[in-house]
Coordinates of all heavy atoms in Angstrom, one line a residue:
M23 N 47.9 53.7 319.5 CA 47.8 52.3 319.6 C 47.6 52.0 321.1 O 46.9 51.1 321.4 CB 49.2 51.7 319.2 CG 49.3 51.8 317.6 SD 50.8 50.9 316.9 CE 51.4 49.9 318.2
K24 N 48.2 52.9 322.0 CA 48.0 52.5 323.4 C 46.5 52.7 323.8 O 46.1 51.9 324.5 CB 48.8 53.7 324.2 CG 48.7 53.4 325.6 CD 49.7 54.4 326.4 CE 49.7 54.3 327.8 NZ 50.5 55.2 328.5
E25 N 45.8 53.7 323.2 CA 44.3 53.8 323.5 C 43.6 52.6 323.1 O 42.6 52.3 323.6 CB 43.8 55.1 322.8 CG 44.3 56.3 323.4 CD 43.9 57.5 322.6 OE1 42.9 57.4 321.8 OE2 44.3 58.7 323.0
L26 N 44.1 51.9 322.0 CA 43.4 50.8 321.5 C 43.8 49.5 322.2 O 43.3 48.4 321.9 CB 43.6 50.7 319.9 CG 43.0 51.8 319.1 CD1 43.4 51.6 317.6 CD2 41.5 51.9 319.2
G27 N 44.8 49.6 322.9 CA 45.3 48.4 323.7 C 46.2 47.5 322.7 O 46.3 46.3 323.0
L28 N 46.8 48.1 321.7 CA 47.6 47.4 320.8 C 49.1 47.5 321.2 O 49.6 48.6 321.4 CB 47.5 47.7 319.3 CG 46.0 47.7 318.8 CD1 45.9 48.4 317.5 CD2 45.6 46.3 318.7
K29 N 49.8 46.4 321.1 CA 51.2 46.5 321.2 C 51.9 46.6 320.0 O 53.0 47.1 319.9 CB 51.7 45.1 321.9 CG 51.3 45.0 323.4 CD 51.9 43.9 324.1 CE 51.2 43.7 325.4 NZ 51.4 44.7 326.5
E30 N 51.3 46.1 318.9 CA 51.8 46.4 317.5 C 50.7 46.5 316.5 O 49.5 46.1 316.8 CB 52.7 45.2 317.1 CG 52.1 43.8 317.1 CD 52.9 42.7 316.7 OE1 53.9 42.5 317.3 OE2 52.5 41.9 315.9
L31 N 51.0 47.1 315.4 CA 50.0 47.3 314.4 C 49.6 45.9 313.8 O 50.3 45.1 313.6 CB 50.5 48.2 313.3 CG 50.6 49.7 313.6 CD1 51.3 50.4 312.4 CD2 49.3 50.3 313.8
P32 N 48.3 45.8 313.4 CA 47.9 44.7 312.7 C 48.4 44.8 311.3 O 48.9 45.9 310.9 CB 46.3 44.7 312.7 CG 46.1 46.1 313.0 CD 47.2 46.7 313.7
Q33 N 48.4 43.7 310.5 CA 48.7 43.8 309.2 C 47.9 44.8 308.3 O 46.7 44.7 308.4 CB 48.7 42.4 308.4 CG 49.0 42.4 306.9 CD 50.4 42.8 306.6 OE1 51.4 42.2 307.2 NE2 50.5 43.7 305.7
L34 N 48.6 45.8 307.7 CA 47.9 46.8 306.9 C 48.0 46.4 305.4 O 49.1 46.0 305.0 CB 48.4 48.1 307.2 CG 48.3 48.7 308.6 CD1 48.9 50.0 308.8 CD2 46.8 48.8 308.9
T35 N 47.0 46.6 304.7 CA 47.0 46.3 303.3 C 46.6 47.5 302.5 O 45.5 48.1 302.8 CB 46.0 45.1 303.0 OG1 46.4 44.0 303.8 CG2 46.1 44.6 301.4
Y36 N 47.3 47.8 301.5 CA 47.0 48.9 300.6 C 46.4 48.4 299.3 O 47.1 47.6 298.7 CB 48.4 49.7 300.3 CG 48.1 50.8 299.2 CD1 47.6 52.0 299.5 CD2 48.4 50.6 297.9 CE1 47.4 53.1 298.6 CE2 48.1 51.6 296.8 CZ 47.8 52.8 297.3 OH 47.5 53.8 296.5
L37 N 45.2 48.7 299.0 CA 44.5 48.3 297.8 C 44.6 49.2 296.7 O 44.6 50.5 296.9 CB 42.9 48.2 298.2 CG 42.5 47.3 299.3 CD1 41.0 47.3 299.6 CD2 43.1 45.9 299.2
Y38 N 44.8 48.6 295.4 CA 44.9 49.6 294.3 C 44.3 48.8 293.1 O 44.3 47.6 293.0 CB 46.3 50.0 294.1 CG 47.4 49.0 293.7 CD1 47.7 48.8 292.5 CD2 47.9 48.3 294.7 CE1 48.6 47.7 292.1 CE2 48.9 47.3 294.5 CZ 49.2 46.9 293.1 OH 50.1 46.1 292.8
I39 N 44.0 49.7 292.1 CA 43.4 49.1 290.8 C 44.6 48.5 290.1 O 45.7 49.2 289.9 CB 42.6 50.0 290.1 CG1 41.4 50.5 290.8 CG2 42.2 49.6 288.6 CD1 40.6 51.6 290.3
F40 N 44.5 47.4 289.5 CA 45.5 46.7 288.8 C 45.9 47.5 287.5 O 45.0 47.7 286.6 CB 45.1 45.3 288.3 CG 46.0 44.6 287.4 CD1 47.2 43.9 288.1 CD2 45.8 44.5 286.1 CE1 48.1 43.4 287.2 CE2 46.9 43.9 285.3 CZ 47.8 43.2 285.9
S41 N 47.1 48.1 287.5 CA 47.7 48.8 286.3 C 49.1 48.9 286.6 O 49.6 48.8 287.8 CB 47.0 50.0 286.1 OG 47.4 51.0 287.1
D42 N 49.9 49.2 285.5 CA 51.4 49.5 285.8 C 51.5 50.8 286.7 O 52.2 50.8 287.6 CB 52.0 49.7 284.5 CG 52.2 48.5 283.7 OD1 52.1 47.3 284.3 OD2 52.3 48.5 282.5
T43 N 50.7 51.8 286.3 CA 50.8 53.0 287.1 C 50.4 52.8 288.6 O 51.1 53.3 289.5 CB 50.0 54.2 286.5 OG1 50.3 54.3 285.1 CG2 50.0 55.4 287.3
G44 N 49.2 52.1 288.7 CA 48.8 51.8 290.1 C 49.9 51.1 290.9 O 50.0 51.3 292.1
H45 N 50.5 50.1 290.2 CA 51.6 49.3 290.9 C 52.8 50.3 291.4 O 53.2 50.1 292.3 CB 51.9 48.2 290.0 CG 53.0 47.3 290.7 ND1 52.7 46.5 291.8 CD2 54.3 47.1 290.5 CE1 53.8 45.8 292.1 NE2 54.7 46.2 291.4
D46 N 53.1 51.1 290.4 CA 54.3 52.0 290.7 C 53.8 53.0 291.9 O 54.7 53.1 292.8 CB 54.5 52.9 289.6 CG 55.1 52.1 288.4 OD1 55.6 50.9 288.7 OD2 55.3 52.6 287.3
I47 N 52.7 53.4 291.9 CA 52.2 54.4 293.0 C 52.3 53.5 294.4 O 52.7 54.0 295.3 CB 50.8 55.0 292.7 CG1 51.0 55.9 291.6 CG2 50.3 55.6 293.9 CD1 49.6 56.4 291.0
A48 N 51.7 52.3 294.3 CA 51.5 51.5 295.5 C 53.0 51.3 296.0 O 53.2 51.3 297.2 CB 50.9 50.2 295.2
Q49 N 54.0 50.8 295.1 CA 55.3 50.6 295.7 C 56.0 51.8 296.3 O 56.7 51.8 297.2 CB 56.1 50.0 294.4 CG 55.7 48.7 294.1 CD 56.8 48.0 293.1 OE1 57.0 48.8 292.1 NE2 57.2 47.0 293.3
T50 N 55.7 52.9 295.7 CA 56.3 54.2 296.3 C 55.6 54.5 297.6 O 56.4 54.8 298.6 CB 55.9 55.4 295.3 OG1 56.5 55.1 294.0 CG2 56.5 56.7 295.9
I51 N 54.3 54.4 297.7 CA 53.7 54.6 299.0 C 54.2 53.5 300.0 O 54.6 54.0 301.2 CB 52.2 54.5 298.9 CG1 51.6 55.7 298.1 CG2 51.5 54.3 300.3 CD1 50.2 55.6 297.8
Q52 N 54.3 52.2 299.7 CA 54.8 51.3 300.5 C 56.3 51.7 301.1 O 56.6 51.5 302.2 CB 54.9 49.9 299.8 CG 55.3 48.8 300.7 CD 55.5 47.5 299.8 OE1 56.0 47.5 298.8 NE2 54.9 46.4 300.3
A53 N 57.2 52.1 300.1 CA 58.5 52.4 300.6 C 58.5 53.6 301.4 O 59.3 53.7 302.4 CB 59.3 52.7 299.3
Q54 N 57.7 54.6 301.2 CA 57.7 55.9 301.9 C 57.2 55.6 303.4 O 57.6 56.1 304.3 CB 56.8 57.0 301.4 CG 57.6 57.6 300.1 CD 56.8 58.6 299.3 OE1 55.5 58.7 299.6 NE2 57.3 59.2 298.4
I55 N 56.3 54.8 303.4 CA 55.7 54.5 304.8 C 56.7 53.7 305.6 O 57.0 53.8 306.8 CB 54.3 53.7 304.7 CG1 53.3 54.6 304.2 CG2 53.9 52.9 306.0 CD1 51.9 54.0 304.0
K56 N 57.3 52.8 304.9 CA 58.4 51.9 305.7 C 59.5 52.8 306.1 O 60.0 52.8 307.2 CB 59.0 50.8 304.6 CG 60.2 50.1 305.2 CD 59.8 49.2 306.4 CE 61.0 48.4 306.8 NZ 60.9 47.8 308.1
E57 N 60.1 53.7 305.1 CA 61.1 54.6 305.5 C 60.8 55.6 306.6 O 61.4 55.9 307.6 CB 61.5 55.4 304.3 CG 62.7 56.4 304.5 CD 63.1 57.1 303.3 OE1 62.9 56.5 302.1 OE2 63.4 58.3 303.3
T58 N 59.6 56.3 306.5 CA 59.1 57.2 307.5 C 58.6 56.7 308.8 O 59.0 57.3 309.9 CB 58.1 58.2 306.8 OG1 58.6 58.7 305.6 CG2 57.6 59.3 307.6
L59 N 57.8 55.7 308.8 CA 57.1 55.2 309.9 C 57.7 53.9 310.5 O 57.3 53.5 311.6 CB 55.6 55.0 309.7 CG 54.9 56.3 309.2 CD1 53.4 56.0 309.0 CD2 55.1 57.4 310.3
G60 N 58.5 53.2 309.5 CA 58.9 51.9 310.0 C 57.9 50.8 309.9 O 58.1 49.8 310.6
V61 N 56.8 51.0 309.2 CA 55.8 50.1 309.1 C 55.7 49.4 307.8 O 55.7 50.0 306.7 CB 54.4 50.8 309.4 CG1 53.2 50.0 309.2 CG2 54.4 51.5 310.8
E62 N 55.6 48.0 307.8 CA 55.5 47.3 306.6 C 54.1 47.2 306.3 O 53.1 47.0 307.1 CB 56.0 45.8 306.9 CG 57.4 45.7 307.0 CD 58.2 45.8 305.9 OE1 57.6 45.7 304.7 OE2 59.5 45.9 305.9
I63 N 53.7 47.4 304.9 CA 52.3 47.2 304.5 C 52.4 46.3 303.3 O 53.4 46.2 302.7 CB 51.7 48.6 304.1 CG1 52.4 49.2 302.9 CG2 51.6 49.5 305.2 CD1 51.7 50.4 302.3
A64 N 51.3 45.5 303.2 CA 51.1 44.6 302.0 C 50.4 45.3 300.9 O 49.7 46.4 301.2 CB 50.2 43.4 302.5
L65 N 50.6 44.9 299.7 CA 50.0 45.5 298.6 C 49.1 44.4 297.9 O 49.4 43.3 297.9 CB 51.0 45.9 297.5 CG 52.1 46.8 297.9 CD1 53.1 47.2 296.8 CD2 51.5 48.2 298.4
E66 N 47.9 44.9 297.6 CA 46.9 44.0 296.8 C 46.3 44.7 295.8 O 45.6 45.8 295.8 CB 45.9 43.7 297.8 CG 44.9 42.6 297.2 CD 43.9 42.2 298.2 OE1 43.9 42.4 299.4 OE2 43.0 41.5 297.8
S67 N 46.5 44.3 294.5 CA 46.0 44.8 293.3 C 44.6 44.1 293.0 O 44.4 42.9 293.1 CB 46.8 44.7 292.1 OG 47.0 43.3 291.7
L68 N 43.7 44.8 292.6 CA 42.3 44.3 292.1 C 41.9 44.8 290.9 O 42.2 45.9 290.5 CB 41.4 44.7 293.3 CG 41.7 44.3 294.7 CD1 40.9 45.1 295.8 CD2 41.5 42.9 295.0
E69 N 40.9 44.0 290.3 CA 40.2 44.6 289.1 C 39.4 45.7 289.6 O 39.0 45.8 290.7 CB 39.4 43.5 288.4 CG 40.3 42.4 287.8 CD 41.1 42.8 286.7 OE1 40.7 43.7 286.0 OE2 42.2 42.2 286.6
A70 N 39.1 46.8 288.6 CA 38.5 48.0 289.0 C 37.1 47.6 289.7 O 36.8 48.3 290.8 CB 38.2 48.9 287.8
K71 N 36.2 46.8 289.2 CA 35.0 46.5 289.8 C 35.1 46.0 291.2 O 34.4 46.5 292.1 CB 34.1 45.6 288.9 CG 32.7 45.3 289.5 CD 31.9 44.6 288.7 CE 30.5 44.3 289.3 NZ 30.1 44.8 290.6
V72 N 35.9 45.1 291.4 CA 36.2 44.5 292.8 C 36.8 45.7 293.7 O 36.1 45.7 294.8 CB 37.1 43.4 292.7 CG1 37.5 42.9 294.1 CG2 36.6 42.2 291.9
F73 N 37.6 46.4 293.3 CA 38.2 47.5 294.0 C 37.1 48.5 294.5 O 37.0 48.8 295.6 CB 39.3 48.3 293.1 CG 39.8 49.5 293.8 CD1 40.9 49.4 294.8 CD2 39.2 50.8 293.6 CE1 41.4 50.6 295.3 CE2 39.8 51.9 294.2 CZ 40.9 51.8 295.1
F74 N 36.2 48.9 293.5 CA 35.2 49.9 293.9 C 34.1 49.2 294.8 O 33.6 49.9 295.7 CB 34.7 50.5 292.7 CG 35.5 51.5 292.0 CD1 36.0 51.3 290.8 CD2 36.0 52.6 292.7 CE1 37.0 52.1 290.1 CE2 36.9 53.5 292.0 CZ 37.4 53.2 290.8
D75 N 33.8 48.1 294.6 CA 32.9 47.3 295.4 C 33.4 47.2 296.8 O 32.7 47.4 297.8 CB 32.5 45.8 295.0 CG 31.6 45.9 293.7 OD1 31.1 47.0 293.4 OD2 31.5 44.8 293.1
M76 N 34.7 46.9 297.1 CA 35.4 46.9 298.3 C 35.3 48.2 299.2 O 35.5 48.2 300.3 CB 36.7 46.2 298.3 CG 36.6 44.8 297.9 SD 38.2 43.9 297.9 CE 38.6 43.9 299.7
Q77 N 35.4 49.3 298.4 CA 35.4 50.5 299.0 C 34.2 50.8 300.0 O 34.3 51.5 301.0 CB 35.5 51.7 298.1 CG 36.6 51.7 297.1 CD 38.1 51.7 297.9 OE1 38.3 52.7 298.6 NE2 38.7 50.7 297.6
F78 N 33.1 50.1 299.7 CA 31.9 50.5 300.4 C 31.5 49.2 301.3 O 30.5 49.2 302.1 CB 30.7 50.6 299.5 CG 31.0 51.9 298.6 CD1 31.4 51.6 297.3 CD2 31.0 53.1 299.1 CE1 31.7 52.7 296.5 CE2 31.3 54.2 298.4 CZ 31.7 54.1 297.0
E79 N 32.4 48.2 301.5 CA 32.1 47.0 302.4 C 32.9 47.4 303.7 O 34.1 47.5 303.8 CB 32.5 45.8 301.9 CG 31.8 45.3 300.7 CD 32.3 44.0 300.1 OE1 33.0 43.3 300.8 OE2 31.9 43.7 298.9
E80 N 32.2 47.4 304.8 CA 32.7 47.7 306.0 C 33.8 46.7 306.5 O 33.6 45.5 306.5 CB 31.6 47.8 307.2 CG 32.0 48.3 308.5 CD 30.9 48.4 309.5 OE1 29.8 48.7 309.0 OE2 31.2 48.2 310.7
G81 N 34.9 47.2 306.9 CA 36.0 46.4 307.4 C 36.8 45.9 306.4 O 37.9 45.2 306.7
N82 N 36.7 46.1 305.1 CA 37.4 45.4 304.0 C 38.5 46.4 303.5 O 39.3 45.9 302.7 CB 36.5 45.0 302.9 CG 36.0 43.6 303.0 OD1 36.5 42.9 303.7 ND2 34.9 43.4 302.2
N83 N 38.6 47.6 303.9 CA 39.6 48.5 303.3 C 40.4 49.2 304.4 O 39.9 49.9 305.1 CB 38.7 49.6 302.5 CG 39.7 50.5 301.6 OD1 40.8 50.3 301.6 ND2 39.0 51.6 301.2
H84 N 41.7 48.8 304.4 CA 42.6 49.5 305.3 C 42.8 51.0 304.7 O 42.6 51.9 305.3 CB 43.8 48.8 305.4 CG 43.7 47.6 306.2 ND1 44.5 46.4 306.0 CD2 42.8 47.1 307.0 CE1 44.2 45.5 306.7 NE2 43.1 45.8 307.5
F85 N 43.4 51.0 303.5 CA 43.5 52.3 302.8 C 43.9 52.0 301.3 O 44.3 51.0 300.9 CB 44.6 53.2 303.4 CG 46.0 52.8 303.5 CD1 46.9 53.5 302.6 CD2 46.4 51.7 304.2 CE1 48.2 52.9 302.7 CE2 47.7 51.3 304.2 CZ 48.7 51.9 303.4
S86 N 43.6 53.1 300.5 CA 43.6 53.0 299.1 C 43.8 54.4 298.6 O 43.6 55.5 299.2 CB 42.4 52.2 298.5 OG 41.3 52.9 298.8
F87 N 44.1 54.3 297.2 CA 44.1 55.7 296.4 C 43.2 55.6 295.4 O 42.9 54.7 294.8 CB 45.5 55.7 296.0 CG 45.8 56.9 294.9 CD1 46.1 58.1 295.3 CD2 45.7 56.7 293.6 CE1 46.2 59.3 294.5 CE2 45.9 57.8 292.7 CZ 46.1 59.0 293.1
G88 N 42.6 56.8 295.2 CA 41.6 56.9 294.1 C 41.8 58.2 293.3 O 42.4 59.1 293.8
G89 N 41.4 58.2 292.1 CA 41.5 59.4 291.3 C 40.5 59.5 290.2 O 39.9 58.4 289.9
W90 N 40.5 60.5 289.5 CA 39.5 60.7 288.4 C 40.3 61.7 287.5 O 40.9 62.6 287.9 CB 38.2 61.2 288.8 CG 37.3 61.4 287.7 CD1 36.6 60.5 287.0 CD2 37.0 62.6 287.0 NE1 35.8 61.0 286.1 CE2 36.1 62.4 286.1 CE3 37.3 63.9 287.3 CZ2 35.5 63.3 285.3 CZ3 36.8 64.9 286.5 CH2 35.9 64.7 285.5
T91 N 40.1 61.4 286.2 CA 40.6 62.4 285.2 C 39.5 62.6 284.1 O 38.5 61.9 284.1 CB 41.9 61.8 284.4 OG1 41.4 60.6 283.7 CG2 42.9 61.6 285.3
A92 N 39.6 63.6 283.4 CA 38.7 63.9 282.3 C 38.5 62.8 281.3 O 39.5 62.2 281.0 CB 39.2 65.2 281.6
D93 N 37.4 62.7 280.7 CA 37.1 61.6 279.8 C 37.5 62.1 278.5 O 37.9 61.3 277.6 CB 35.6 61.3 279.8 CG 35.1 60.7 281.1 OD1 35.9 59.9 281.6 OD2 34.0 61.1 281.5
Y94 N 37.5 63.4 278.3 CA 37.9 64.1 277.0 C 38.9 65.2 277.2 O 38.8 65.8 278.3 CB 36.7 64.5 276.3 CG 35.6 63.4 276.1 CD1 34.5 63.4 277.0 CD2 35.7 62.5 275.1 CE1 33.6 62.5 277.0 CE2 34.7 61.5 275.0 CZ 33.6 61.4 275.9 OH 32.6 60.6 275.7
N95 N 39.6 65.6 276.2 CA 40.6 66.6 276.3 C 39.9 67.9 276.0 O 40.0 68.6 275.1 CB 41.7 66.4 275.3 CG 42.8 67.3 275.6 OD1 42.9 67.9 276.5 ND2 43.7 67.5 274.5
D96 N 39.0 68.2 277.0 CA 38.2 69.5 276.9 C 37.9 69.9 278.3 O 37.4 69.1 279.1 CB 36.9 69.1 276.2 CG 36.0 70.4 275.9 OD1 36.1 71.3 276.7 OD2 35.4 70.4 274.9
P97 N 38.3 71.2 278.6 CA 38.0 71.7 280.0 C 36.4 71.5 280.5 O 36.2 71.5 281.7 CB 38.3 73.2 279.9 CG 39.3 73.3 278.7 CD 38.8 72.2 277.8
M98 N 35.6 71.5 279.5 CA 34.2 71.5 279.9 C 33.9 70.0 280.5 O 32.9 69.8 281.2 CB 33.3 71.5 278.6 CG 33.2 73.0 278.1 SD 32.5 74.1 279.4 CE 30.9 73.7 279.5
D99 N 34.8 69.1 280.2 CA 34.6 67.7 280.9 C 34.6 67.7 282.4 O 34.0 66.8 283.0 CB 35.7 66.9 280.3 CG 35.4 65.3 280.4 OD1 34.2 65.0 280.2 OD2 36.2 64.5 280.9
F100 N 35.2 68.8 283.0 CA 35.2 68.8 284.4 C 33.9 69.4 285.0 O 33.9 69.5 286.2 CB 36.5 69.6 284.9 CG 37.7 68.8 284.6 CD1 38.5 69.2 283.6 CD2 38.1 68.0 285.6 CE1 39.7 68.4 283.4 CE2 39.4 67.2 285.4 CZ 40.1 67.5 284.2
F101 N 33.0 69.9 284.2 CA 31.8 70.5 284.7 C 30.7 69.5 284.6 O 29.9 69.2 284.5 CB 31.5 71.8 283.9 CG 32.4 72.9 284.1 CD1 33.2 73.2 283.1 CD2 32.7 73.5 285.3 CE1 34.3 74.3 283.2 CE2 33.6 74.5 285.5 CZ 34.4 74.8 284.5

């Protein structure tokens, strides 16, 4: 922060895809960052298309979580 000339962090926002699981993960990350670093972060849930579009727009994404799972219950799905 000193190198950037900041006295305090700007508001940070964690983006996630709207779902119960996404919300649970977001709240856990929010709590851990607060506990470990003492930093408050905002949470913002988005529909999947908006979320993925924002990942590629410069300056719109502070941080987020993404993942991928198999489409079918078959090991070949990962190839």
Side-chain angles (χ1 to χ4, degrees):
M23 286 181 28
K24 184 177 181 180
E25 290 176 11
L26 297 174
L28 299 173
K29 295 191 188 290
E30 62 182 49
L31 286 174
Q33 175 64 50
L34 298 176
T35 303
Y36 176 81
L37 305 177
Y38 65 97
I39 296 174
F40 178 77
S41 71
D42 290 339
T43 302
H45 184 70
D46 291 344
I47 291 169
Q49 286 184 313
T50 300
I51 290 170
Q52 182 184 46
Q54 289 178 346
I55 289 174
K56 173 66 175 166
E57 180 181 327
T58 306
L59 303 174
V61 175
E62 293 280 349
I63 63 168
L65 303 179
E66 183 177 350
S67 66
L68 303 165
E69 294 295 326
K71 179 174 180 0
V72 176
F73 175 84
F74 289 116
D75 287 347
M76 288 183 76
Q77 300 302 303
F78 301 104
E79 291 181 19
E80 187 175 330
N82 271 341
N83 185 12
H84 292 153
F85 65 110
S86 59
F87 172 80
W90 178 79
T91 61
D93 297 317
Y94 306 99
N95 189 17
D96 185 325
M98 289 302 290
D99 197 46
F100 288 98
F101 295 110

